[in-house]
Amino acid sequence: IAVYIVTTLGVVLFGVLEGVALGIAVAVGVALHRLTRTRITHRETEDAHHIRVRGQLTFLAVPRLTRALHQVPRGSRAVVELDGSFMDHAAYEALQDWQTTHTVQGGEAEMTGRAGARIAEPTSPSHSCCRPWTPWRNHHCGEPAAALLPGGPPAPVRVHELADGLGAFQRDTAPHVRGELARLAREGQRPSQLFLTCSDSRLVTSMITSSGPGDLFTVRNVGNLVPAPGTESADDSVAAAIEYAVDVLKVRSITVCGHSGCGAMQALLNAPPAEAEPATPLGRWLRHGLPSLDRMAAEGSSWATLKGRPPADAAEQLCLANVVQQLEHLRAHEAVARRLAEGTLTLQGMYFHVGEAQAYLLAPSQNLFDRVVASPAPGGPHEVPGEVPGEEVADAVR
């Protein structure tokens, strides 16, 4: 109200521009005053720990909020009373992360408003506790907390999970992408890259490459393997995808992407020496990874490295060696060799560390996987395309 009064009086007494300027100044002053008056207190009663927040809850108050929340013992009941009219994203994230952790550890966490009324998160028909702006996040949130703990009971089977996800896509995403997909349907696909990676569910190719419909021609298999052509056990499925991408779609680059915690690489390390025909399809498929195992053994443990730190263990070392080996197998494909000779195709190795959400690109001359750092936001300082500020991007394999 004070802002409107000051603005009106300023316009009447001094003019439009002066009145608006006075109103803006008062609005800024009021906002700063409210931010500095945020109070966060912790009080323990017989039945619960009470965290009360009075005033505007913004990123400036997150450190104090976090300290107060950490005073709540593990496994106890906590009530967070939000006595204010505004909460920014940083504060919401801090509260949400603490509430999730506290609940998983066996405690209770309840959010209330000024009058003690319980606050519930916005819900969606597909996943009642997932945030609307990140519907893919934490899709196990509807399961009992015990099911999220190591060694906990198995989560119940959700029969309609696929249908729920499709319904959420039709409701929330389809309206935004329908125009672009209609264009692609008319014009056909023209991807610039063939992206060959593992089937691991934690590896979301569109997310880590910031790509959309029509950008990547993707091949996924267990262990991101490229069977060498001409061998008795060569795989026509992968070879057909490579031929189609290179000769028909005319992609300009091929990326082989490995990742941390790869079960296929761990299986190769643990497998006994191959003396007989494997009894299962998985065992027969993993034979395509044996050259990677041989390469790591022949070259030594320090042959392929991550810039900034050595590989954590033999499994990670094998993941890196496997990327390099599959690039060698790619070069042996006739279509790839021809385009490489013409200079119209580039091969690239990549490693993604799942737990760190960190991507690495291969610099082939040193067999070094170089960390990719964040590029400036759009509208920031100009950067040469393909370069990463502060780091030398790994060269492509030609």
Side-chain angles (χ1 to χ4, degrees), residues 135-216:
W136 50 268
R137 180 176 177 178
N138 196 18
H139 273 190
H140 299 289
C141 54
E143 299 167 2
L148 303 178
L149 296 172
V157 177
R158 290 158 53 192
V159 178
H160 302 292
E161 183 175 358
L162 176 61
D164 288 347
L166 291 173
F169 167 80
Q170 294 298 153
R171 182 186 64 251
D172 302 326
T173 307
H176 300 289
V177 300
R178 186 171 286 117
E180 177 65 9
L181 290 177
R183 183 189 67 80
L184 290 171
R186 292 192 306 270
E187 301 175 2
Q189 63 167 329
R190 289 182 290 179
S192 61
Q193 303 178 59
L194 166 59
F195 197 85
L196 198 149
T197 189
C198 187
S199 302
D200 193 294
S201 63
R202 298 166 296 180
L203 207 63
V204 185
T205 56
S206 59
M207 181 177 70
I208 64 177
T209 60
S210 298
S211 58
D215 292 337
L216 300 180

